[in-house]
């Protein structure tokens, strides 16, 4: 029977695991981006259950090579251009490794003081890095916390907004009136899910039309919707505006939206899950104009800022409202530090009680890359996307489908939806690249999102070559 792994055994096995990861990264470009195997292939290969006496790490790593890795979609691959980037980096992996080794619970300051204080400082560092409004910094009424994802941040913001809009009644007696949430038709699906979980019902979210050119929320349409709901006796609770929508990276006009929210007393949450990282570069901070109106804001370092999933940075202007909405204090969590009021207990800033030491990997990333290293990474992605977009503009077989202010390019074939879908299928089947799709103005649209630290000019050019050569083989009839 295998006994607990002692420190020396762990050291040996750990070296082997780190070597495996390093070899994986070194060979990623030689692997297909995705798996071509049918559903159930891995499950069938794993049939039988664990051995009675345990196995050495070498056996597990061997099966990782032969069973697991070939059946993955490789999100770190230099040819992965799908969805949004979800990139990690060496410093992030090391921080996560140490966090796992420490195995601490950071739900309260008292349960791991350094974990709480490092998280507070890291969110202030990030706020400085993005030049966020002063109201989001710690030391005053606001502050930041790490959530697992922007979806959770939206849910937490929605709960805090309901607490404010109902004067706390939703906690004691449920929702006494119809409360409304608002986002654009381009808003993320998690906004609707948050509204449902928060008890607003299937029709609790109002989707607001967008400008047909920019695909950004229409302030006039938002104002009209709020006025209509007020006239019907409903309570506007929260508006979720987006910096960098999922389909096309559209940027909602925060100055106008924020002024409307201030006029009607509606909570404004800004979801910048992907594009928030762009604000590390001063020349891209135009996207955050109007953020001073926001009651809460989030972005995902685990998308475009080289920090492994899960790590969403979430700030509020008034942490007191958030704590009032979410706190529940059983006797077994009472302690002198919490009751002194001198510490932050992050359990009150999220839905779950328990929380990992996620700030450690963020600390590693920020210290390794520094400000200029992070800016260089973002700028490289924007430049590569610009180069690809220029190729699209110069070829009359293709059409740019939306503006591309960051590192996502949306495009389609002039020949029509069927041709666009066929090119996507054929290009992805090569295993050299992976792109995804959306619909823009009802049209089937391809998305190429640059973000991997392994992606170079050569990889973007290869994607263009595959697309161009594949399009050449299709009928040339244009719509």
């Amino acid at each position: 029977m295998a006994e607990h792994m002692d420190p020396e055994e762990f050291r040996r096995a750990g070296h082997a695991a780190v070597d495996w990861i390093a070899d994986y990264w070194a060979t990623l470009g030689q692997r297909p981006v995705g798996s071509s195997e049918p559903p159930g292939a891995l499950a069938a290969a794993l049939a039988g259950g664990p051995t009675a006496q345990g196995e050495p790490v070498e056996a597990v790593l061997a099966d990782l090579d032969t069973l697991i890795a070939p059946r993955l979609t490789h999100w770190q691959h230099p040819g992965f251009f799908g969805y949004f980037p979800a990139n990690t980096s060496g410093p992030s992996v090391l921080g996560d490794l140490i966090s796992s080794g420490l195995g601490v619970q950071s739900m309260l300051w008292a349960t791991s003081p350094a974990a709480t204080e490092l998280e507070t400082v890291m969110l202030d560092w990030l706020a400085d890095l993005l030049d966020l409004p002063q109201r989001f910094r710690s030391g005053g009424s606001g502050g930041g916390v790490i959530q697992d994802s922007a979806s959770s941040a939206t849910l937490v913001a929605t709960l805090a907004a309901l607490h404010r809009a109902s004067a706390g009644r939703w906690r004691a007696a449920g929702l006494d009136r119809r409360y409304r949430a608002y986002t654009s038709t381009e808003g993320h699906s998690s906004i609707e899910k948050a509204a449902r979980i928060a008890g607003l019902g299937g029709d609790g979210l109002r989707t607001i039309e967008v400008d047909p050119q920019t695909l950004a929320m229409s302030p006039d349409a938002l104002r009209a919707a709020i006025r209509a709901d007020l006239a019907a006796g409903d309570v506007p609770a929260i508006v979720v505006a987006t910096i960098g929508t999922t389909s096309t990276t559209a940027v909602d006009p925060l100055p106008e939206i924020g002024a409307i929210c201030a006029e009607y007393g509606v909570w404004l949450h800004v979801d910048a899950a992907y594009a928030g990282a762009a604000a590390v570069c001063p020349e891209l901070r135009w996207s955050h104009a109007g953020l001073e109106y926001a009651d809460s804001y989030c972005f995902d370092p685990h998308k475009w800022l080289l920090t492994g999933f899960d790590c969403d940075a979430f700030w509020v202007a008034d942490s007191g409202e958030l704590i009032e909405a979410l706190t529940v204090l059983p006797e077994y969590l009472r302690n002198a530090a919490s009751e002194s009021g001198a510490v932050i207990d992050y359990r009150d800033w999220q839905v779950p009680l328990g929380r990992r030491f996620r700030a450690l990997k963020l600390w590693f990333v920020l210290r390794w890359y520094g400000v200029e290293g992070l800016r260089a990474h973002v700028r490289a992605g924007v430049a590569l996307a610009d180069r690809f977009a220029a190729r699209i503009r110069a070829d009359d077989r293709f059409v740019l489908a939306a503006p591309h202010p960051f590192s996502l390019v949306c495009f389609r074939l002039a020949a029509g939806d069927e041709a666009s879908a066929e090119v996507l299928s054929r290009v992805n089947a090569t295993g050299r690249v992976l792109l995804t799709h959306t619909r823009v103005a009802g049209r089937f649209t391809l998305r190429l999102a640059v973000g991997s630290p392994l992606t170079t000019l050569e990889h973007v050019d290869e994607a263009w070559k595959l697309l161009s050569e594949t399009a050449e083989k299709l009928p040339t009839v244009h719509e």
Side-chain angles (χ1 to χ4, degrees), residues 214-250:
T214 65
L215 301 177
M217 186 191 298
S218 165
D220 289 341
L222 173 63
R223 181 185 294 276
I226 290 175
R227 284 179 171 174
D229 286 336
L230 287 170
D234 297 340
V235 182
I238 183 171
V239 172
V240 181
T242 308
I243 298 174
T245 56
T246 301
S247 280
T248 66
T249 61

Side-chain angles (χ1 to χ4, degrees), residues 99-425:
S99 174
S100 296
L102 292 172
V104 300
Q105 263 283 2
S106 57
M107 56 192 173
L108 303 170
W109 180 90
T111 60
S112 285
T116 294
E117 294 186 20
L118 182 65
E119 185 162 340
T120 302
V121 173
M122 288 305 97
L123 270 293
D124 281 345
W125 281 16
L126 277 180
D128 289 341
L129 191 60
L130 273 62
D131 194 28
L132 299 184
Q134 187 62 37
R135 64 203 303 239
F136 290 136
R137 310 300 207 282
S138 66
S141 61
V145 61
I146 298 176
Q147 304 284 351
D148 57 8
S149 64
S151 299
S152 291
T154 298
L155 174 59
V156 167
T158 301
L159 296 175
L162 284 172
H163 184 74
R164 177 199 284 179
S166 68
R169 290 190 298 275
W170 76 281
R171 279 194 52 151
L175 299 179
D176 55 338
R177 299 168 65 184
R178 180 188 291 276
Y179 293 81
R180 291 284 196 178
Y182 308 81
T183 194
S184 86
T185 54
E186 297 290 311
H188 195 269
S189 60
S190 62
I191 302 168
E192 179 181 355
K193 181 178 284 189
R196 291 185 178 187
I197 294 172
L200 301 188
D203 62 349
L205 176 66
R206 283 267 216 162
T207 52
I208 308 301
E209 66 185 61
V210 298
D211 180 283
Q213 300 302 315
T214 65
L215 301 177
M217 186 191 298
S218 165
D220 289 341
L222 173 63
R223 181 185 294 276
I226 290 175
R227 284 179 171 174
D229 286 336
L230 287 170
D234 297 340
V235 182
I238 183 171
V239 172
V240 181
T242 308
I243 298 174
T245 56
T246 301
S247 280
T248 66
T249 61
V251 177
D252 289 338
L254 294 187
E256 294 88 347
I257 292 171
I260 293 169
C261 290
E263 178 182 349
Y264 292 100
V266 182
W267 185 290
L268 174 59
H269 174 62
V270 176
D271 176 3
Y274 158 72
V280 303
C281 300
E283 70 273 18
L284 295 174
R285 288 179 187 156
W286 58 265
S287 61
H288 284 55
L291 191 58
E292 64 273 10
Y293 285 105
D295 295 283
S296 55
Y297 165 88
C298 77
F299 91 101
D300 292 338
H302 67 234
K303 283 192 169 71
W304 199 11
L305 212 63
L306 299 164
T307 306
F309 188 85
D310 55 346
C311 186
D312 171 82
F314 173 68
W315 289 268
V316 288
D318 186 347
S319 61
E321 290 183 309
L322 182 66
I323 293 168
E324 287 177 12
L326 297 180
T327 188
V328 175
L329 182 60
E331 181 61 34
Y332 50 79
L333 293 180
R334 293 185 181 276
N335 63 87
S338 295
E339 292 176 5
S340 74
V343 302
I344 293 175
D345 289 333
Y346 279 128
R347 71 179 186 93
D348 296 325
W349 295 50
Q350 62 176 27
V351 173
L353 170 62
R355 55 198 334 269
R356 299 189 300 111
F357 193 179
R358 288 178 290 221
L360 202 57
K361 62 186 172 187
L362 193 56
W363 188 48
F364 269 62
V365 168
L366 294 179
R367 293 191 65 181
W368 173 269
Y369 285 100
V371 174
E372 291 306 320
L374 295 173
R375 287 175 177 168
H377 172 66
V378 169
R379 286 169 176 153
V382 173
L384 290 174
D386 283 345
R387 177 182 175 90
F388 180 81
R391 295 288 190 92
I392 295 292
R393 277 193 299 270
D395 192 318
D396 62 6
R397 296 171 300 172
F398 293 88
V399 178
L400 280 174
H404 55 93
F406 306 112
S407 67
L408 169 72
V409 181
C410 294
F411 62 100
R412 57 185 175 84
L413 266 71
D417 286 2
E418 289 187 10
S420 296
E422 181 64 20
V423 164
L424 178 65
S425 176

